[in-house]
Amino acid sequence: MAMEAVDERLVRREHGLIQLLDPPFDKSDLNPGYIKGYVPGVRENGGQYTHAAIWAAMAFAGLRDNRRAWELFTIINPVNHARSAKKAAIYKVEPYVVAADVYAVPPHTGRGGWTWYTGSAAWMYRLIVESLLGLEREGDKLWFTPCLPPDWKGFKLHYRYRETFYHIAVSQVSDDGGGMRVSVD
């Protein structure tokens, strides 16, 4: 069921992008609105619209599909677009900034765009902290619902809420019951 949430044709692992839709609107009489104004394969018109790619990863985390949530995060993580000089030359934007979009058609396939002018960075932060590491604050309560890769032993997080500092250690242990345990010291 969870695999159907993102059409596999839209996940382009070899190019490090997750398309919003395919094919782009360029030869159709259908008018989807403003997105048809973008060049085919750019931004919402058949490219990676990073907001949506992040929301897809968040959805898999919400479904507790750890493997898919982390796979999508890894694909869109800007650091991974600069793991080699060749990859950085394709991406052409700062690897320490989340790009709002990644182009999906030649000759610019894999090239990032709109790096500093995007809300995608804030969504990426929420994906990492809330959806993957599982820390959420609701009023004066902290909730933990980590969605960790199976090979992680755990992680440490230092969190400040108002004047209080929390030093949180999350350990992932194999539990025969398959459930999650939280202990507080």
Side-chain angles (χ1 to χ4, degrees):
M1 175 80 167
M3 289 295 278
E4 297 167 4
V6 171
D7 187 329
E8 277 299 310
R9 293 174 299 144
L10 302 177
V11 179
R12 308 234 331 250
R13 291 166 184 83
E14 71 281 7
H15 298 295
L17 64 97
I18 302 166
Q19 289 175 264
L20 182 61
L21 56 87
D22 188 53
F25 288 94
D26 62 334
K27 296 179 177 83
S28 170
D29 291 332
L30 297 174
N31 187 353
Y34 77 95
I35 67 171
K36 194 172 180 177
Y38 290 116
V39 175
V42 174
R43 297 191 51 83
E44 293 98 313
N45 193 10
Q48 173 178 291
Y49 182 57
T50 305
H51 279 64
I54 291 169
W55 295 332
M58 289 173 129
F60 281 111
L63 291 169
R64 312 310 308 152
D65 188 340
N66 303 26
R67 184 190 65 78
R68 290 285 287 176
W70 280 89
E71 178 189 17
L72 296 184
F73 167 67
T74 300
I75 290 170
I76 59 180
N77 184 343
V79 171
N80 292 326
H81 291 280
R83 290 207 174 267
S84 69
K86 182 180 177 184
K87 284 185 172 192
I90 292 168
Y91 196 52
K92 295 189 187 284
V93 295
E94 310 88 340
Y96 47 84
V97 180
V98 179
D101 60 294
V102 179
Y103 305 168
V105 296
H108 303 294
T109 305
R111 181 178 183 169
W114 287 65
T115 53
W116 290 95
Y117 183 71
T118 179
S120 294
W123 282 108
M124 181 76 82
Y125 175 84
R126 291 191 65 187
L127 167 64
I128 295 166
V129 173
E130 295 175 4
S131 300
L132 298 176
L133 298 181
L135 175 68
E136 290 189 64
R137 185 180 62 80
E138 185 178 303
D140 63 350
K141 293 180 175 46
L142 283 177
W143 298 93
F144 292 94
T145 52
C147 180
L148 303 180
D151 59 329
W152 275 30
K153 294 191 184 327
F155 65 92
K156 290 184 180 181
L157 177 71
H158 302 285
Y159 177 76
R160 177 181 173 192
Y161 176 64
R162 296 188 177 159
E163 301 303 317
T164 304
F165 290 89
Y166 297 88
H167 303 288
I168 302 163
V170 175
S171 298
Q172 183 166 243
V173 295
S174 183
D175 183 358
D176 292 336
M180 183 185 304
R181 285 186 315 202
V182 174
S183 61
V184 179
D185 182 357

